[in-house]
């Protein structure tokens, strides 16, 4: 692993993240620090917070964002339940000056030198395909979702491992890391999300609505799905086996930082860009001092159905 930076690309890329009170504050500091250290492009970072929660962000967080050139803005999402996962859709639909945008989940960190520009393909949105613990195990489920958005489902299928077997279903992305160009896709993603949210016939859409709407939105405006390799959005199970090939580590839980080589990287970037001497110092500070509103985690729109949550825990 090389800790160096190359010259930035000519065209700035917008990086969109969520920053909300509590656990997502230390995650924000870690993610931004790792972006600043490793990414080889010229980037503009935009952090979004629900307006109703903005007063609970710590001054430490706000000062960090300001000192690292992060633009903090506010959103007012509307879903039929409190749905933190869906905030990203409203955030992506906000107007920005950059032509290219990457959305990155807050519970991720950059762990290697690479260029974000390599994830873009003209005429496509880019991301990693979904795993077996995600929604959409039958064509019939997807048909309901496409019909809710008045979009033709089409005939393209991908293989998905389900309950020890294989099924062929419409293609879908993990919405943890998403590359897109222009404003049309983000606006359509929000429109489709709202349509499915308003439809009672699509089953068990929470907390998967953002991912359900993503390929439907793309198809509705004739964008292709460009499947990126796992290195662009690597979960703990793979990272623990082959961390050296990872660009973006999707750790999900703090223990998956402490238990892996990611801790060394966190201890490298945190002192460089924050006021803290180590990752543990930063994590402990927010655990002890941060606000923890119950609308950020543990709400109906956050919790997965038990069977799918078990699959997620098993794969890390």
């Amino acid at each position: 692993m090389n800790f160096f930076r190359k010259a930035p690309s000519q065209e700035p890329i917008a990086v969109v993240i969520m920053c909300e009170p509590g656990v997502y504050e230390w995650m924000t500091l870690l993610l931004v620090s790792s972006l600043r250290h490793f990414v080889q492009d010229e980037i503009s970072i935009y952090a979004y917070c629900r307006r109703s929660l903005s007063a609970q962000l710590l001054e430490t967080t706000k000062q960090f964002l300001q000192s690292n050139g992060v633009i903090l803005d506010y959103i007012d999402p509307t879903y039929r339940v409190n749905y933190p996962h869906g905030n990203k859709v409203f955030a992506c639909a906000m107007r920005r000056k950059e032509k290219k945008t990457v959305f990155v989940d807050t519970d991720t960190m950059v762990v290697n030198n690479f260029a974000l520009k390599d994830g873009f393909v003209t005429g496509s949105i880019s991301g990693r395909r979904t795993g077996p613990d995600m929604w959409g195990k039958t064509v019939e489920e997807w048909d309901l979702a496409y019909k809710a958005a008045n979009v033709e489902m089409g005939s393209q299928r991908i293989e998905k491992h389900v309950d020890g077997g294989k099924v062929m279903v419409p293609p879908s992305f993990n919405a943890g890391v998403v590359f897109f160009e222009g404003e049309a896709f983000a606006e359509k993603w929000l429109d489709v999300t709202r349509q499915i949210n308003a439809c009672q016939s699509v089953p068990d859409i929470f907390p998967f609505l953002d991912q359900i709407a993503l390929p439907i939105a793309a198809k509705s405006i004739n964008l292709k799905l460009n499947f990126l390799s796992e290195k662009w959005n690597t979960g703990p199970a793979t990272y623990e086996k082959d961390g050296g090939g990872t660009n973006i580590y999707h750790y999900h839980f703090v223990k998956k930082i402490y238990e892996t080589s990611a801790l060394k990287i966190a201890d490298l970037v945190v002192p460089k860009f924050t006021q803290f001497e180590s990752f543990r110092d930063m994590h402990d500070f927010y655990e002890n001092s941060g606000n923890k509103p119950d609308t950020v985690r543990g709400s109906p729109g956050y919790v997965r159905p038990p069977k799918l949550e078990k699959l997620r825990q098993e794969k890390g």
Side-chain angles (χ1 to χ4, degrees), residues 7-8 37 79 83 113-114 150 206 226 250 256 277 292:
H37 183 83
Y79 293 102
Y83 176 46
N113 292 290
F114 72 100
N150 299 309
F206 300 108
N226 175 48
H250 205 150
K256 295 301 182 179
E277 295 183 358
K292 298 179 177 63

Side-chain angles (χ1 to χ4, degrees), residues 110-132:
V110 179
V111 294
N112 224 330
N113 292 290
F114 72 100
L116 287 169
K117 64 181 178 63
D118 294 339
F120 292 94
V121 173
T122 302
S124 303
I125 60 171
S126 298
R128 179 190 162 190
R129 63 180 293 172
T130 53

Side-chain angles (χ1 to χ4, degrees), residues 208-227:
F208 310 106
L209 177 55
D210 57 330
Q211 297 190 154
I212 298 169
L214 199 156
I216 301 174
K219 190 170 190 308
S220 72
I221 55 175
N222 299 313
L223 290 175
K224 296 179 180 180
L225 303 184
N226 175 48
F227 290 101

